[in-house]
Amino acid sequence: MRENISSVLICVFLFFNISTCTATTAAADWWEDSSLYQIYPRSWKDSDGDGIGDLNGITEKLEYLKEIGITATWLSPIFKSPMSDFGYDISNFYEVDPIFGSLDDFDKLIKKAKKIGIKIILDFVPNHSSDECEWFQKSVERKDGYDDFYVWENGLDDPNNPGKKLPPSNWVSIFGGKMWTWNDKRQQFYLHQFQVKQPDLNYKNTKVREEMIKVLKFWLDRGVDGFRIDAVPHIFEKVNADGTYPDEPLSGSTSDPEKYEYLDHIYTKDQYETVELLYEWRSYLNKYQEENGGETRILLAEAYSPINVIDQYFGNGTHFGAHLPFNFNLMGLRGSSNARDLETSIKNWMDVMWNKHKTANWVLGNHDNNRIAYNFGKEKVDLVNVIITALPGATVTYYGEEIGMSNVETQCTEISCDSRDPERTPFQWTDGKSAGFSSSSKTWLPISDDYKKVNVKVQRGADRSTLNIFKELQKLKRSPAYKAFKDNGGWSYGAINDQVFQVIRSSPQDEYRILVNFGDKLEEIGPLSNSIEDNENIMEYFLLTSHSPHRRGEKVNLKSIYMMPFEAVVLKRIIKK
Ligand code: GLC
Ligand code: MG
């Protein structure tokens, strides 16, 4: 375990305000600079022709992750579920949903993953279960041991309707509407931060905490390498000393009381008990490793929270929580964002999380957010992939971003009517039937129209395709300069002007400069080095994207460089100083 390793960080300011840091510590643990990849199992590969992806499909295609340089993949929920929120509403935490396969299929997946060296991370959804979960049904009936498994409350007397009850507080759920729903049978309200069908578990109850540790153990024993913890900020709610629930103040940002944004969530988000709960889960994982050996099992945390809270979810110096609390900062950028916006966004993380904890990770998409091509524009997908790989730390790639898949305009179907459907469409493997995703022509969400061009098969064979660039980037991530980010390595990042962004990575063995032009105009930059030794100003083009007019191996003088619109390049130093 690495928590006690001390590190020294030296930062200096160079040209153009670019901050340069050299860190010396022991070598990084596997997850610290890993390439993580999120699979949305419904949409990755269908093995049985029902038009919905499944575990055997993932097993069948696992080598692909190896081919593109992935360290570990996290799977969105595969557990038994009525699928009201596509698996984020779990009815049995210990079973695989038949849509995805069986426990046997899961064991086969793990076996193959271990054989070829891909780590498997599961989604852990602790905040709530499905209302169809046996625990909830027992809780409704106040069965022994389950009475307090969920958050139940009598409600307030309605002054206008004698005998009727009003919800205990004004809280609004994340998907809209009241956070409290009346249950006729139990004659009480229950709390749900998300859907009505997703009742919140009661973490003030030690039995719930024990049960969830059992869930972690169950999957760890089956060989998983960690968990992505769902909806972390929403686990605890504030209760007054007298057992009542305080109303949240209005935010002023909308006048619609049905919308989540209507209130300022000071009592239902990021409560301190949640931080402590993460520390509890982390110590359980540490203990598990001590007892069972093997490599570090990790926790990823989904928390759309301010950086000072993310800081606590990571740890406070004596206690540790999530190894990688997701860094969603860059997802706030858009096509109109420039190099300076990017710098500000990166600094927001680095100034706190790197400076305090020497940790960084970069997330550019997931099943809840628009795809990169949609947010930034198709021409910027490669730029974004280049940047996130160039930065020190771990990267998280949502399936399909490595080939530049875009949002797909979807219409409600019998199976799904979710505003997040556009970023959840089937993965595009080939230019054949159903993009090689399924043998069926009916898939649960439509295949994107662009699949003939945007697919793995075609891009494998095309020089400078998004896929091939992605693969090259993953190789770079294993080079001495990239690997050395915590160990005698140097790196710096910053905007050179409004449009061009630069990252420098170096080690005693090698040195790279990553240059990205976010703008749609030709940019002249330089000098990027002012050495009087001409040799020291010469580098060569090493990795090129489709907007670059250069060839690999071509020399370039750092005194003056032209960057084409949307060009992204990696330069390599040929002669070490
Ligand atoms: C997380 C998931 C999202 C889900 C919600 C409720 O935010 O990423 O997809 O709807 O939690 O579980
Ligand atoms: Mg299937």
Side-chain angles (χ1 to χ4, degrees):
M1 261 137 269
R2 321 205 69 84
E3 15 267 56
N4 296 324
I5 292 169
S6 62
S7 63
V8 185
L9 185 77
I10 307 149
C11 294
V12 289
F13 287 89
L14 276 184
F15 271 145
F16 312 111
N17 242 351
I18 287 176
S19 50
T20 296
C21 298
T22 310
T24 47
T25 64
D29 198 359
W30 72 265
W31 48 273
E32 293 183 85
D33 62 348
S34 55
S35 299
L36 305 175
Y37 183 94
Q38 180 191 353
I39 289 181
Y40 194 66
R42 293 183 75 86
S43 285
W44 208 57
K45 175 70 189 170
D46 173 22
S47 73
D48 60 3
D50 65 354
I52 301 176
D54 42 54
L55 287 179
N56 287 341
I58 298 174
T59 309
E60 184 189 318
K61 289 287 190 184
L62 215 51
E63 279 90 356
Y64 169 72
L65 297 184
K66 202 71 202 164
E67 171 194 335
I68 67 171
I70 299 303
T71 327
T73 179
W74 73 271
L75 314 179
S76 281
I78 53 165
F79 317 106
K80 187 116 195 341
S81 163
M83 301 289 165
S84 175
D85 190 14
F86 293 117
Y88 285 97
D89 50 322
I90 301 174
S91 53
N92 190 328
F93 286 76
Y94 302 99
E95 264 182 40
V96 170
D97 194 275
I99 284 192
F100 298 123
S102 63
L103 272 176
D104 261 4
D105 297 331
F106 181 76
D107 292 343
K108 281 185 203 134
L109 166 66
I110 291 281
K111 200 165 163 212
K112 179 159 174 195
K114 293 216 184 296
K115 192 166 141 218
I116 67 175
I118 294 286
K119 292 188 159 61
I120 302 286
I121 294 170
L122 287 184
D123 216 315
F124 175 53
V125 189
N127 179 65
H128 46 265
S129 72
S130 161
D131 62 343
E132 295 178 38
C133 180
E134 198 190 335
W135 307 336
F136 187 70
Q137 322 251 300
K138 286 185 174 162
S139 197
V140 166
E141 287 169 18
R142 295 182 182 273
K143 288 242 167 85
D144 218 18
Y146 290 90
D147 197 1
D148 292 330
F149 235 64
Y150 294 82
V151 184
W152 293 103
E153 188 55 32
N154 290 333
L156 310 171
D157 290 331
D158 184 347
N160 303 323
N161 289 304
K164 288 263 182 228
K165 292 285 184 188
L166 291 173
S169 65
N170 70 343
W171 299 348
V172 180
S173 83
I174 290 151
F175 293 140
K178 297 240 170 309
M179 205 185 264
W180 298 97
T181 289
W182 179 255
N183 182 276
D184 261 344
K185 204 166 208 177
R186 180 154 161 158
Q187 290 289 301
Q188 275 189 315
F189 287 95
Y190 67 88
L191 180 100
H192 52 90
Q193 290 242 9
F194 293 87
Q195 293 180 8
V196 175
K197 280 185 72 62
Q198 292 170 307
D200 275 43
L201 287 153
N202 174 18
Y203 279 86
K204 299 216 157 81
N205 181 348
T206 46
K207 287 212 175 93
V208 170
R209 288 162 102 115
E210 283 162 19
E211 187 70 48
M212 291 323 254
I213 294 277
K214 262 176 65 190
V215 170
L216 293 176
K217 180 173 185 325
F218 180 84
W219 296 103
L220 286 168
D221 286 348
R222 295 196 106 86
V224 305
D225 299 286
F227 301 92
R228 173 260 188 195
I229 314 175
D230 182 73
V232 167
H234 308 283
I235 298 179
F236 278 93
E237 297 77 27
K238 167 97 179 150
V239 189
N240 292 324
D242 64 359
T244 58
Y245 291 86
D247 279 351
E248 286 186 328
L250 306 198
S251 71
S253 69
T254 165
S255 56
D256 183 351
E258 294 291 302
K259 285 215 167 109
Y260 187 58
E261 297 71 39
Y262 185 64
L263 300 175
D264 187 5
H265 304 289
I266 54 172
Y267 299 132
T268 56
K269 230 193 128 203
D270 295 323
Q271 302 299 298
Y272 188 70
E273 290 103 316
T274 312
V275 173
E276 292 177 325
L277 185 61
L278 278 196
Y279 297 170
E280 203 175 296
W281 286 331
R282 171 67 170 269
S283 25
Y284 177 71
L285 255 63
N286 289 352
K287 187 171 133 246
Y288 189 91
Q289 188 185 354
E290 272 160 29
E291 289 171 6
N292 295 275
E295 288 188 87
T296 309
R297 277 55 157 207
I298 64 166
L299 292 175
L300 314 171
E302 184 210 28
Y304 293 88
S305 304
I307 197 77
N308 62 312
V309 178
I310 296 282
D311 177 23
Q312 297 183 32
Y313 287 146
F314 178 87
N316 62 12
T318 45
H319 292 90
F320 290 85
H323 298 76
L324 298 172
F326 283 141
N327 171 8
F328 294 129
N329 277 336
L330 301 190
M331 289 200 318
L333 299 174
R334 291 293 173 267
S336 55
S337 307
N338 65 18
R340 300 208 189 278
D341 301 325
L342 180 67
E343 180 180 313
T344 307
S345 175
I346 295 172
K347 269 176 76 61
N348 176 277
W349 178 276
M350 297 306 267
D351 286 354
V352 177
M353 298 301 286
W354 181 267
N355 288 352
K356 277 179 85 168
H357 309 294
K358 315 292 167 287
T359 189
N361 73 83
W362 312 96
V363 184
L364 244 306
N366 58 37
H367 62 295
D368 297 325
N369 289 282
N370 292 322
R371 287 192 174 275
I372 302 178
Y374 182 90
N375 275 346
F376 289 82
K378 281 193 180 4
E379 63 288 343
K380 291 194 178 163
V381 175
D382 292 337
L383 311 194
V384 169
N385 283 339
V386 168
I387 292 291
I388 63 165
T389 323
L391 293 168
T395 52
V396 189
T397 300
Y398 182 50
Y399 83 95
E401 294 302 349
E402 76 278 23
I403 56 171
M405 275 175 66
S406 194
N407 275 28
V408 177
E409 257 185 65
T410 51
Q411 271 158 9
C412 291
T413 65
E414 257 167 59
I415 300 188
S416 185
C417 189
D418 193 308
S419 59
R420 298 166 294 181
D421 287 347
E423 63 263 17
R424 296 176 176 181
T425 59
F427 190 46
Q428 295 156 212
W429 291 99
T430 70
D431 51 2
K433 182 177 174 187
S434 290
F437 161 71
S438 172
S439 59
S440 167
S441 49
K442 255 188 96 184
T443 53
W444 80 282
L445 285 177
I447 309 275
S448 172
D449 288 342
D450 66 10
Y451 79 97
K452 293 254 174 208
K453 262 188 20 211
V454 181
N455 67 66
V456 172
K457 184 175 155 224
V458 166
Q459 291 198 12
R460 265 188 191 133
D463 197 27
R464 300 194 194 179
S465 66
T466 298
L467 181 66
N468 282 333
I469 291 163
F470 184 90
K471 285 199 224 173
E472 291 292 317
L473 290 170
Q474 300 312 314
K475 278 188 212 144
L476 265 181
K477 225 167 141 52
R478 308 291 149 229
S479 67
Y482 277 55
K483 286 295 290 176
F485 76 111
K486 294 189 91 173
D487 192 11
N488 277 328
W491 47 264
S492 65
Y493 66 87
I496 286 178
N497 60 26
D498 282 354
Q499 296 303 339
V500 180
F501 192 80
Q502 174 177 247
V503 181
I504 302 177
R505 302 295 299 258
S506 67
S507 78
Q509 291 95 55
D510 55 355
E511 178 184 328
Y512 301 93
R513 272 181 199 245
I514 298 94
L515 293 167
V516 169
N517 180 4
F518 273 84
D520 57 1
K521 295 194 185 55
L522 183 75
E523 297 282 339
E524 186 192 356
I525 51 167
L528 298 181
S529 151
N530 59 359
S531 172
I532 40 160
E533 288 287 333
D534 223 22
N535 269 351
E536 292 189 2
N537 296 326
I538 304 291
M539 293 184 88
E540 69 176 29
Y541 285 99
F542 187 70
L543 189 149
L544 299 144
T545 53
S546 57
H547 288 272
S548 179
H550 300 285
R551 275 173 295 111
R552 193 179 174 130
E554 213 178 291
K555 308 268 179 300
V556 57
N557 193 319
L558 296 179
K559 290 213 157 131
S560 163
I561 300 181
Y562 284 95
M563 296 282 301
M564 295 299 279
F566 310 125
E567 183 178 359
V569 292
V570 177
L571 310 180
K572 184 174 184 177
R573 184 172 292 288
I574 18 185
I575 302 160
K576 274 308 282 182
K577 285 182 224 170

